[in-house]
Amino acid sequence: MGKWFARLYDMVLAPIEQTKFKKIRKSLIGKAKGRVLEIGSGTGVNFPFYQLALHVDAIEPDHYMRKKSLKRLDKSEIPIQTHLVKAEKLPFADHTFDTVVGTLVFCTIPNPERALKEVQRVCKPGGKVLLFEHVRLNHSKFGPLQDALTPVWSKVSEGCRLNQNTVELLQNAGFIIHTIEEHFKGLFLVIKCVNEERRTQLPSITQQSVRH
């Protein structure tokens, strides 16, 4: 990502971060326990919300985003170490982490399937995976509109895909999805998973999700 993107990122998202996303992030990140891996930590916006973690390893592939995140390290009561690495090739041993966190990140990872395999590898069996992601809407008009806009949007937003189907990616990878919370009429999802080797069928969202 370019230097300009890192500079503008927080400023562009500030209105929605302060009014909506902050509450979502605080609730989700507050559930991360033990040794934690954060995928795509960006400018470190999640750092102040860790409460129960023992230690956080935060990975970010972009030099400028990681550099900005260093300014937020002192806002966390939990030890956080940042790493300039990609999610597709994690420099950690198997079964290292109790919890893996990702917020608004799987839309931009070039190879999300490979990244999820790495998450499975480094997360302990039975460990938690906590995600907050924007996804393709299951809507006859807005879903195809996201498909149409994604090629252009991706070029101006450093690879972000508006039509990413993160739930399907998780299912295909074999994660056990426990709950899905819908926000903004399903455009954003909070997804809570368990790292297991077996596959499962995703329960009906109408029964499992919490709508906001």
Side-chain angles (χ1 to χ4, degrees), residues 77-121:
E77 299 178 0
I78 307 301
I80 298 177
Q81 182 177 359
T82 64
H83 307 265
L84 190 66
V85 297
K86 296 181 179 181
E88 294 95 331
K89 191 174 182 180
L90 299 173
F92 306 108
D94 295 359
H95 305 160
T96 295
F97 298 98
D98 300 287
T99 309
V100 178
V101 170
T103 60
L104 306 181
V105 63
F106 274 94
C107 59
T108 58
I109 295 176
N111 189 337
E113 293 85 359
R114 177 61 186 168
L116 286 173
K117 287 182 180 179
E118 281 289 88
V119 168
Q120 286 180 315
R121 181 182 67 79

mmCIF file of all heavy atoms in Angstrom, residues 77-121:
data_model
loop_
_atom_site.group_PDB
_atom_site.id
_atom_site.type_symbol
_atom_site.label_atom_id
_atom_site.label_comp_id
_atom_site.label_asym_id
_atom_site.label_seq_id
_atom_site.Cartn_x
_atom_site.Cartn_y
_atom_site.Cartn_z
ATOM 1 N N GLU A 77 -2.780 -1.838 27.341
ATOM 2 C CA GLU A 77 -2.260 -2.347 28.606
ATOM 3 C C GLU A 77 -1.633 -3.722 28.429
ATOM 4 O O GLU A 77 -1.027 -4.256 29.364
ATOM 5 C CB GLU A 77 -3.389 -2.420 29.643
ATOM 6 C CG GLU A 77 -4.027 -1.059 29.952
ATOM 7 C CD GLU A 77 -5.168 -1.172 30.939
ATOM 8 O OE1 GLU A 77 -5.456 -2.315 31.386
ATOM 9 O OE2 GLU A 77 -5.771 -0.134 31.274
ATOM 10 N N ILE A 78 -1.769 -4.286 27.237
ATOM 11 C CA ILE A 78 -1.269 -5.626 26.931
ATOM 12 C C ILE A 78 -0.010 -5.517 26.075
ATOM 13 O O ILE A 78 0.049 -4.681 25.166
ATOM 14 C CB ILE A 78 -2.341 -6.434 26.163
ATOM 15 C CG1 ILE A 78 -3.675 -6.428 26.926
ATOM 16 C CG2 ILE A 78 -1.872 -7.858 25.913
ATOM 17 C CD1 ILE A 78 -3.612 -7.009 28.315
ATOM 18 N N PRO A 79 1.015 -6.342 26.315
ATOM 19 C CA PRO A 79 2.205 -6.314 25.455
ATOM 20 C C PRO A 79 1.850 -6.682 24.011
ATOM 21 O O PRO A 79 1.236 -7.711 23.763
ATOM 22 C CB PRO A 79 3.119 -7.372 26.082
ATOM 23 C CG PRO A 79 2.617 -7.569 27.468
ATOM 24 C CD PRO A 79 1.141 -7.309 27.420
ATOM 25 N N ILE A 80 2.225 -5.828 23.069
ATOM 26 C CA ILE A 80 1.962 -6.063 21.652
ATOM 27 C C ILE A 80 3.254 -5.950 20.872
ATOM 28 O O ILE A 80 3.992 -4.973 21.010
ATOM 29 C CB ILE A 80 0.937 -5.050 21.100
ATOM 30 C CG1 ILE A 80 -0.409 -5.191 21.824
ATOM 31 C CG2 ILE A 80 0.747 -5.250 19.592
ATOM 32 C CD1 ILE A 80 -1.454 -4.178 21.391
ATOM 33 N N GLN A 81 3.532 -6.950 20.050
ATOM 34 C CA GLN A 81 4.694 -6.923 19.163
ATOM 35 C C GLN A 81 4.210 -6.934 17.724
ATOM 36 O O GLN A 81 3.384 -7.766 17.349
ATOM 37 C CB GLN A 81 5.603 -8.128 19.407
ATOM 38 C CG GLN A 81 6.867 -8.126 18.542
ATOM 39 C CD GLN A 81 7.789 -9.286 18.859
ATOM 40 O OE1 GLN A 81 7.497 -10.100 19.757
ATOM 41 N NE2 GLN A 81 8.895 -9.383 18.150
ATOM 42 N N THR A 82 4.682 -6.002 16.923
ATOM 43 C CA THR A 82 4.263 -5.928 15.527
ATOM 44 C C THR A 82 5.285 -6.622 14.632
ATOM 45 O O THR A 82 6.481 -6.660 14.931
ATOM 46 C CB THR A 82 4.089 -4.466 15.064
ATOM 47 O OG1 THR A 82 5.347 -3.802 15.119
ATOM 48 C CG2 THR A 82 3.079 -3.745 15.954
ATOM 49 N N HIS A 83 4.787 -7.170 13.515
ATOM 50 C CA HIS A 83 5.629 -7.910 12.579
ATOM 51 C C HIS A 83 5.278 -7.480 11.161
ATOM 52 O O HIS A 83 4.093 -7.434 10.802
ATOM 53 C CB HIS A 83 5.403 -9.411 12.704
ATOM 54 C CG HIS A 83 5.549 -9.947 14.092
ATOM 55 N ND1 HIS A 83 6.730 -10.491 14.552
ATOM 56 C CD2 HIS A 83 4.665 -10.018 15.126
ATOM 57 C CE1 HIS A 83 6.565 -10.897 15.812
ATOM 58 N NE2 HIS A 83 5.320 -10.615 16.180
ATOM 59 N N LEU A 84 6.270 -7.200 10.355
ATOM 60 C CA LEU A 84 6.064 -6.813 8.960
ATOM 61 C C LEU A 84 6.062 -8.083 8.102
ATOM 62 O O LEU A 84 7.052 -8.416 7.441
ATOM 63 C CB LEU A 84 7.153 -5.846 8.509
ATOM 64 C CG LEU A 84 6.965 -5.165 7.149
ATOM 65 C CD1 LEU A 84 5.764 -4.230 7.176
ATOM 66 C CD2 LEU A 84 8.222 -4.394 6.761
ATOM 67 N N VAL A 85 4.953 -8.810 8.128
ATOM 68 C CA VAL A 85 4.843 -10.074 7.397
ATOM 69 C C VAL A 85 3.445 -10.212 6.811
ATOM 70 O O VAL A 85 2.511 -9.510 7.210
ATOM 71 C CB VAL A 85 5.149 -11.290 8.298
ATOM 72 C CG1 VAL A 85 6.587 -11.251 8.789
ATOM 73 C CG2 VAL A 85 4.194 -11.353 9.470
ATOM 74 N N LYS A 86 3.299 -11.170 5.882
ATOM 75 C CA LYS A 86 2.025 -11.424 5.224
ATOM 76 C C LYS A 86 1.293 -12.576 5.898
ATOM 77 O O LYS A 86 1.907 -13.488 6.449
ATOM 78 C CB LYS A 86 2.244 -11.747 3.749
ATOM 79 C CG LYS A 86 2.838 -10.601 2.945
ATOM 80 C CD LYS A 86 3.006 -10.999 1.488
ATOM 81 C CE LYS A 86 3.572 -9.842 0.673
ATOM 82 N NZ LYS A 86 3.731 -10.203 -0.759
ATOM 83 N N ALA A 87 -0.037 -12.539 5.808
ATOM 84 C CA ALA A 87 -0.859 -13.583 6.430
ATOM 85 C C ALA A 87 -0.679 -14.929 5.747
ATOM 86 O O ALA A 87 -0.909 -15.977 6.365
ATOM 87 C CB ALA A 87 -2.328 -13.174 6.392
ATOM 88 N N GLU A 88 -0.264 -14.914 4.483
ATOM 89 C CA GLU A 88 -0.109 -16.171 3.747
ATOM 90 C C GLU A 88 1.130 -16.963 4.158
ATOM 91 O O GLU A 88 1.266 -18.135 3.796
ATOM 92 C CB GLU A 88 -0.042 -15.900 2.234
ATOM 93 C CG GLU A 88 -1.321 -15.360 1.645
ATOM 94 C CD GLU A 88 -1.333 -13.832 1.570
ATOM 95 O OE1 GLU A 88 -0.665 -13.202 2.419
ATOM 96 O OE2 GLU A 88 -2.001 -13.281 0.682
ATOM 97 N N LYS A 89 2.033 -16.335 4.901
ATOM 98 C CA LYS A 89 3.259 -17.024 5.336
ATOM 99 C C LYS A 89 3.634 -16.505 6.716
ATOM 100 O O LYS A 89 4.441 -15.595 6.856
ATOM 101 C CB LYS A 89 4.392 -16.793 4.328
ATOM 102 C CG LYS A 89 5.596 -17.691 4.577
ATOM 103 C CD LYS A 89 6.625 -17.537 3.475
ATOM 104 C CE LYS A 89 7.801 -18.485 3.704
ATOM 105 N NZ LYS A 89 8.832 -18.352 2.624
ATOM 106 N N LEU A 90 3.077 -17.118 7.734
ATOM 107 C CA LEU A 90 3.269 -16.652 9.109
ATOM 108 C C LEU A 90 4.532 -17.262 9.729
ATOM 109 O O LEU A 90 4.751 -18.466 9.632
ATOM 110 C CB LEU A 90 2.052 -17.022 9.958
ATOM 111 C CG LEU A 90 0.721 -16.416 9.514
ATOM 112 C CD1 LEU A 90 -0.433 -16.994 10.336
ATOM 113 C CD2 LEU A 90 0.750 -14.901 9.652
ATOM 114 N N PRO A 91 5.341 -16.432 10.383
ATOM 115 C CA PRO A 91 6.597 -16.906 10.967
ATOM 116 C C PRO A 91 6.440 -17.445 12.384
ATOM 117 O O PRO A 91 7.216 -17.109 13.285
ATOM 118 C CB PRO A 91 7.456 -15.634 10.955
ATOM 119 C CG PRO A 91 6.472 -14.540 11.220
ATOM 120 C CD PRO A 91 5.198 -14.965 10.500
ATOM 121 N N PHE A 92 5.427 -18.262 12.601
ATOM 122 C CA PHE A 92 5.153 -18.792 13.935
ATOM 123 C C PHE A 92 5.008 -20.301 13.873
ATOM 124 O O PHE A 92 4.596 -20.862 12.848
ATOM 125 C CB PHE A 92 3.865 -18.176 14.508
ATOM 126 C CG PHE A 92 3.845 -16.678 14.512
ATOM 127 C CD1 PHE A 92 3.038 -15.974 13.622
ATOM 128 C CD2 PHE A 92 4.636 -15.955 15.397
ATOM 129 C CE1 PHE A 92 3.018 -14.594 13.608
ATOM 130 C CE2 PHE A 92 4.619 -14.564 15.390
ATOM 131 C CZ PHE A 92 3.817 -13.885 14.497
ATOM 132 N N ALA A 93 5.310 -20.951 14.980
ATOM 133 C CA ALA A 93 5.213 -22.404 15.057
ATOM 134 C C ALA A 93 3.756 -22.858 15.083
ATOM 135 O O ALA A 93 2.843 -22.078 15.394
ATOM 136 C CB ALA A 93 5.942 -22.899 16.314
ATOM 137 N N ASP A 94 3.550 -24.112 14.752
ATOM 138 C CA ASP A 94 2.210 -24.694 14.804
ATOM 139 C C ASP A 94 1.629 -24.581 16.213
ATOM 140 O O ASP A 94 2.348 -24.712 17.214
ATOM 141 C CB ASP A 94 2.252 -26.170 14.415
ATOM 142 C CG ASP A 94 2.673 -26.397 12.972
ATOM 143 O OD1 ASP A 94 2.907 -25.407 12.262
ATOM 144 O OD2 ASP A 94 2.778 -27.572 12.565
ATOM 145 N N HIS A 95 0.326 -24.348 16.277
ATOM 146 C CA HIS A 95 -0.430 -24.374 17.541
ATOM 147 C C HIS A 95 0.142 -23.395 18.573
ATOM 148 O O HIS A 95 0.268 -23.717 19.746
ATOM 149 C CB HIS A 95 -0.442 -25.795 18.119
ATOM 150 C CG HIS A 95 -0.951 -26.830 17.172
ATOM 151 N ND1 HIS A 95 -0.691 -28.180 17.320
ATOM 152 C CD2 HIS A 95 -1.704 -26.718 16.039
ATOM 153 C CE1 HIS A 95 -1.264 -28.851 16.332
ATOM 154 N NE2 HIS A 95 -1.882 -27.983 15.543
ATOM 155 N N THR A 96 0.446 -22.184 18.118
ATOM 156 C CA THR A 96 1.030 -21.167 18.999
ATOM 157 C C THR A 96 -0.034 -20.346 19.713
ATOM 158 O O THR A 96 0.130 -20.009 20.885
ATOM 159 C CB THR A 96 1.928 -20.217 18.183
ATOM 160 O OG1 THR A 96 3.036 -20.958 17.665
ATOM 161 C CG2 THR A 96 2.461 -19.070 19.046
ATOM 162 N N PHE A 97 -1.141 -20.022 19.030
ATOM 163 C CA PHE A 97 -2.059 -18.986 19.518
ATOM 164 C C PHE A 97 -3.369 -19.565 20.054
ATOM 165 O O PHE A 97 -3.931 -20.511 19.507
ATOM 166 C CB PHE A 97 -2.357 -17.982 18.409
ATOM 167 C CG PHE A 97 -1.133 -17.252 17.941
ATOM 168 C CD1 PHE A 97 -0.449 -17.664 16.808
ATOM 169 C CD2 PHE A 97 -0.653 -16.170 18.660
ATOM 170 C CE1 PHE A 97 0.690 -16.997 16.389
ATOM 171 C CE2 PHE A 97 0.489 -15.500 18.249
ATOM 172 C CZ PHE A 97 1.157 -15.915 17.119
ATOM 173 N N ASP A 98 -3.848 -18.931 21.126
ATOM 174 C CA ASP A 98 -5.150 -19.273 21.702
ATOM 175 C C ASP A 98 -6.287 -18.596 20.946
ATOM 176 O O ASP A 98 -7.392 -19.127 20.869
ATOM 177 C CB ASP A 98 -5.201 -18.832 23.172
ATOM 178 C CG ASP A 98 -4.130 -19.491 24.006
ATOM 179 O OD1 ASP A 98 -4.252 -20.698 24.287
ATOM 180 O OD2 ASP A 98 -3.156 -18.798 24.365
ATOM 181 N N THR A 99 -6.018 -17.403 20.412
ATOM 182 C CA THR A 99 -7.031 -16.624 19.699
ATOM 183 C C THR A 99 -6.403 -15.956 18.486
ATOM 184 O O THR A 99 -5.268 -15.471 18.561
ATOM 185 C CB THR A 99 -7.634 -15.525 20.602
ATOM 186 O OG1 THR A 99 -8.063 -16.083 21.841
ATOM 187 C CG2 THR A 99 -8.813 -14.851 19.923
ATOM 188 N N VAL A 100 -7.133 -15.937 17.382
ATOM 189 C CA VAL A 100 -6.727 -15.189 16.186
ATOM 190 C C VAL A 100 -7.806 -14.156 15.887
ATOM 191 O O VAL A 100 -8.995 -14.478 15.880
ATOM 192 C CB VAL A 100 -6.524 -16.106 14.968
ATOM 193 C CG1 VAL A 100 -6.150 -15.280 13.731
ATOM 194 C CG2 VAL A 100 -5.447 -17.149 15.257
ATOM 195 N N VAL A 101 -7.379 -12.919 15.659
ATOM 196 C CA VAL A 101 -8.286 -11.797 15.422
ATOM 197 C C VAL A 101 -8.034 -11.223 14.030
ATOM 198 O O VAL A 101 -6.883 -11.102 13.598
ATOM 199 C CB VAL A 101 -8.077 -10.702 16.490
ATOM 200 C CG1 VAL A 101 -8.827 -9.422 16.114
ATOM 201 C CG2 VAL A 101 -8.510 -11.192 17.859
ATOM 202 N N GLY A 102 -9.097 -10.845 13.353
ATOM 203 C CA GLY A 102 -8.973 -10.131 12.081
ATOM 204 C C GLY A 102 -10.137 -9.176 11.917
ATOM 205 O O GLY A 102 -11.293 -9.584 12.083
ATOM 206 N N THR A 103 -9.860 -7.910 11.614
ATOM 207 C CA THR A 103 -10.941 -6.944 11.419
ATOM 208 C C THR A 103 -10.746 -6.200 10.099
ATOM 209 O O THR A 103 -9.712 -5.577 9.883
ATOM 210 C CB THR A 103 -11.025 -5.926 12.580
ATOM 211 O OG1 THR A 103 -9.813 -5.201 12.684
ATOM 212 C CG2 THR A 103 -11.284 -6.642 13.906
ATOM 213 N N LEU A 104 -11.732 -6.321 9.239
ATOM 214 C CA LEU A 104 -11.729 -5.647 7.931
ATOM 215 C C LEU A 104 -10.439 -5.934 7.178
ATOM 216 O O LEU A 104 -9.796 -5.042 6.632
ATOM 217 C CB LEU A 104 -11.921 -4.134 8.112
ATOM 218 C CG LEU A 104 -13.146 -3.706 8.925
ATOM 219 C CD1 LEU A 104 -13.236 -2.185 9.002
ATOM 220 C CD2 LEU A 104 -14.431 -4.284 8.341
ATOM 221 N N VAL A 105 -10.077 -7.213 7.115
ATOM 222 C CA VAL A 105 -8.790 -7.570 6.526
ATOM 223 C C VAL A 105 -8.888 -8.610 5.416
ATOM 224 O O VAL A 105 -8.136 -8.548 4.438
ATOM 225 C CB VAL A 105 -7.812 -8.071 7.621
ATOM 226 C CG1 VAL A 105 -8.320 -9.339 8.282
ATOM 227 C CG2 VAL A 105 -6.427 -8.305 7.052
ATOM 228 N N PHE A 106 -9.808 -9.570 5.521
ATOM 229 C CA PHE A 106 -9.821 -10.648 4.533
ATOM 230 C C PHE A 106 -10.311 -10.186 3.162
ATOM 231 O O PHE A 106 -10.156 -10.917 2.183
ATOM 232 C CB PHE A 106 -10.641 -11.833 5.040
ATOM 233 C CG PHE A 106 -9.824 -12.757 5.894
ATOM 234 C CD1 PHE A 106 -9.807 -12.612 7.270
ATOM 235 C CD2 PHE A 106 -9.026 -13.737 5.324
ATOM 236 C CE1 PHE A 106 -9.030 -13.430 8.063
ATOM 237 C CE2 PHE A 106 -8.244 -14.563 6.103
ATOM 238 C CZ PHE A 106 -8.237 -14.419 7.478
ATOM 239 N N CYS A 107 -10.851 -8.995 3.070
ATOM 240 C CA CYS A 107 -11.227 -8.431 1.771
ATOM 241 C C CYS A 107 -10.010 -7.995 0.971
ATOM 242 O O CYS A 107 -10.095 -7.810 -0.246
ATOM 243 C CB CYS A 107 -12.169 -7.252 1.959
ATOM 244 S SG CYS A 107 -11.466 -5.915 2.963
ATOM 245 N N THR A 108 -8.870 -7.808 1.639
ATOM 246 C CA THR A 108 -7.686 -7.293 0.946
ATOM 247 C C THR A 108 -6.542 -8.307 0.839
ATOM 248 O O THR A 108 -5.608 -8.078 0.079
ATOM 249 C CB THR A 108 -7.133 -6.041 1.670
ATOM 250 O OG1 THR A 108 -6.822 -6.384 3.025
ATOM 251 C CG2 THR A 108 -8.139 -4.915 1.642
ATOM 252 N N ILE A 109 -6.592 -9.401 1.575
ATOM 253 C CA ILE A 109 -5.523 -10.402 1.486
ATOM 254 C C ILE A 109 -5.554 -11.034 0.104
ATOM 255 O O ILE A 109 -6.584 -11.568 -0.324
ATOM 256 C CB ILE A 109 -5.695 -11.477 2.577
ATOM 257 C CG1 ILE A 109 -5.532 -10.864 3.960
ATOM 258 C CG2 ILE A 109 -4.684 -12.604 2.373
ATOM 259 C CD1 ILE A 109 -5.780 -11.823 5.100
ATOM 260 N N PRO A 110 -4.448 -10.997 -0.643
ATOM 261 C CA PRO A 110 -4.445 -11.515 -2.019
ATOM 262 C C PRO A 110 -4.856 -12.978 -2.132
ATOM 263 O O PRO A 110 -5.554 -13.363 -3.063
ATOM 264 C CB PRO A 110 -2.984 -11.307 -2.458
ATOM 265 C CG PRO A 110 -2.501 -10.171 -1.625
ATOM 266 C CD PRO A 110 -3.178 -10.336 -0.294
ATOM 267 N N ASN A 111 -4.415 -13.798 -1.177
ATOM 268 C CA ASN A 111 -4.752 -15.214 -1.208
ATOM 269 C C ASN A 111 -5.380 -15.601 0.134
ATOM 270 O O ASN A 111 -4.710 -16.155 1.016
ATOM 271 C CB ASN A 111 -3.499 -16.060 -1.475
ATOM 272 C CG ASN A 111 -3.823 -17.525 -1.741
ATOM 273 O OD1 ASN A 111 -4.870 -18.029 -1.334
ATOM 274 N ND2 ASN A 111 -2.919 -18.217 -2.414
ATOM 275 N N PRO A 112 -6.668 -15.304 0.324
ATOM 276 C CA PRO A 112 -7.302 -15.557 1.619
ATOM 277 C C PRO A 112 -7.366 -17.037 1.976
ATOM 278 O O PRO A 112 -7.339 -17.397 3.153
ATOM 279 C CB PRO A 112 -8.697 -14.951 1.464
ATOM 280 C CG PRO A 112 -8.946 -14.926 -0.002
ATOM 281 C CD PRO A 112 -7.610 -14.690 -0.636
ATOM 282 N N GLU A 113 -7.471 -17.909 0.966
ATOM 283 C CA GLU A 113 -7.502 -19.343 1.239
ATOM 284 C C GLU A 113 -6.196 -19.796 1.899
ATOM 285 O O GLU A 113 -6.214 -20.559 2.881
ATOM 286 C CB GLU A 113 -7.735 -20.140 -0.050
ATOM 287 C CG GLU A 113 -9.098 -19.940 -0.672
ATOM 288 C CD GLU A 113 -9.189 -18.730 -1.582
ATOM 289 O OE1 GLU A 113 -8.171 -18.017 -1.720
ATOM 290 O OE2 GLU A 113 -10.274 -18.483 -2.149
ATOM 291 N N ARG A 114 -5.079 -19.327 1.362
ATOM 292 C CA ARG A 114 -3.785 -19.663 1.944
ATOM 293 C C ARG A 114 -3.647 -19.066 3.333
ATOM 294 O O ARG A 114 -3.111 -19.707 4.254
ATOM 295 C CB ARG A 114 -2.654 -19.150 1.032
ATOM 296 C CG ARG A 114 -1.246 -19.378 1.573
ATOM 297 C CD ARG A 114 -0.954 -20.851 1.769
ATOM 298 N NE ARG A 114 0.325 -21.054 2.414
ATOM 299 C CZ ARG A 114 0.739 -22.220 2.916
ATOM 300 N NH1 ARG A 114 -0.059 -23.278 2.828
ATOM 301 N NH2 ARG A 114 1.910 -22.325 3.498
ATOM 302 N N ALA A 115 -4.129 -17.852 3.514
ATOM 303 C CA ALA A 115 -4.055 -17.201 4.822
ATOM 304 C C ALA A 115 -4.834 -17.984 5.872
ATOM 305 O O ALA A 115 -4.378 -18.143 7.011
ATOM 306 C CB ALA A 115 -4.572 -15.772 4.735
ATOM 307 N N LEU A 116 -6.005 -18.502 5.502
ATOM 308 C CA LEU A 116 -6.800 -19.273 6.451
ATOM 309 C C LEU A 116 -6.128 -20.594 6.809
ATOM 310 O O LEU A 116 -6.234 -21.069 7.949
ATOM 311 C CB LEU A 116 -8.198 -19.519 5.894
ATOM 312 C CG LEU A 116 -9.121 -18.297 5.897
ATOM 313 C CD1 LEU A 116 -10.427 -18.607 5.169
ATOM 314 C CD2 LEU A 116 -9.416 -17.838 7.320
ATOM 315 N N LYS A 117 -5.422 -21.188 5.862
ATOM 316 C CA LYS A 117 -4.659 -22.399 6.174
ATOM 317 C C LYS A 117 -3.566 -22.093 7.191
ATOM 318 O O LYS A 117 -3.293 -22.894 8.091
ATOM 319 C CB LYS A 117 -4.045 -22.970 4.893
ATOM 320 C CG LYS A 117 -5.050 -23.626 3.965
ATOM 321 C CD LYS A 117 -4.373 -24.222 2.741
ATOM 322 C CE LYS A 117 -5.380 -24.885 1.810
ATOM 323 N NZ LYS A 117 -4.722 -25.449 0.605
ATOM 324 N N GLU A 118 -2.947 -20.941 7.041
ATOM 325 C CA GLU A 118 -1.919 -20.533 7.996
ATOM 326 C C GLU A 118 -2.529 -20.250 9.372
ATOM 327 O O GLU A 118 -1.944 -20.589 10.401
ATOM 328 C CB GLU A 118 -1.181 -19.300 7.480
ATOM 329 C CG GLU A 118 -0.139 -19.601 6.430
ATOM 330 C CD GLU A 118 1.064 -20.318 7.041
ATOM 331 O OE1 GLU A 118 1.025 -21.568 7.107
ATOM 332 O OE2 GLU A 118 2.017 -19.647 7.476
ATOM 333 N N VAL A 119 -3.718 -19.638 9.379
ATOM 334 C CA VAL A 119 -4.414 -19.408 10.648
ATOM 335 C C VAL A 119 -4.694 -20.732 11.338
ATOM 336 O O VAL A 119 -4.475 -20.885 12.549
ATOM 337 C CB VAL A 119 -5.723 -18.626 10.413
ATOM 338 C CG1 VAL A 119 -6.590 -18.648 11.674
ATOM 339 C CG2 VAL A 119 -5.418 -17.182 10.015
ATOM 340 N N GLN A 120 -5.172 -21.718 10.580
ATOM 341 C CA GLN A 120 -5.427 -23.035 11.157
ATOM 342 C C GLN A 120 -4.157 -23.647 11.724
ATOM 343 O O GLN A 120 -4.176 -24.282 12.785
ATOM 344 C CB GLN A 120 -6.011 -23.969 10.098
ATOM 345 C CG GLN A 120 -7.458 -23.689 9.751
ATOM 346 C CD GLN A 120 -7.980 -24.643 8.702
ATOM 347 O OE1 GLN A 120 -7.311 -24.906 7.707
ATOM 348 N NE2 GLN A 120 -9.174 -25.171 8.910
ATOM 349 N N ARG A 121 -3.062 -23.456 11.039
ATOM 350 C CA ARG A 121 -1.795 -24.052 11.464
ATOM 351 C C ARG A 121 -1.296 -23.472 12.777
ATOM 352 O O ARG A 121 -0.862 -24.199 13.676
ATOM 353 C CB ARG A 121 -0.736 -23.861 10.369
ATOM 354 C CG ARG A 121 0.619 -24.467 10.706
ATOM 355 C CD ARG A 121 1.626 -24.207 9.612
ATOM 356 N NE ARG A 121 1.970 -22.785 9.498
ATOM 357 C CZ ARG A 121 2.824 -22.160 10.303
ATOM 358 N NH1 ARG A 121 3.399 -22.789 11.311
ATOM 359 N NH2 ARG A 121 3.090 -20.864 10.109
#
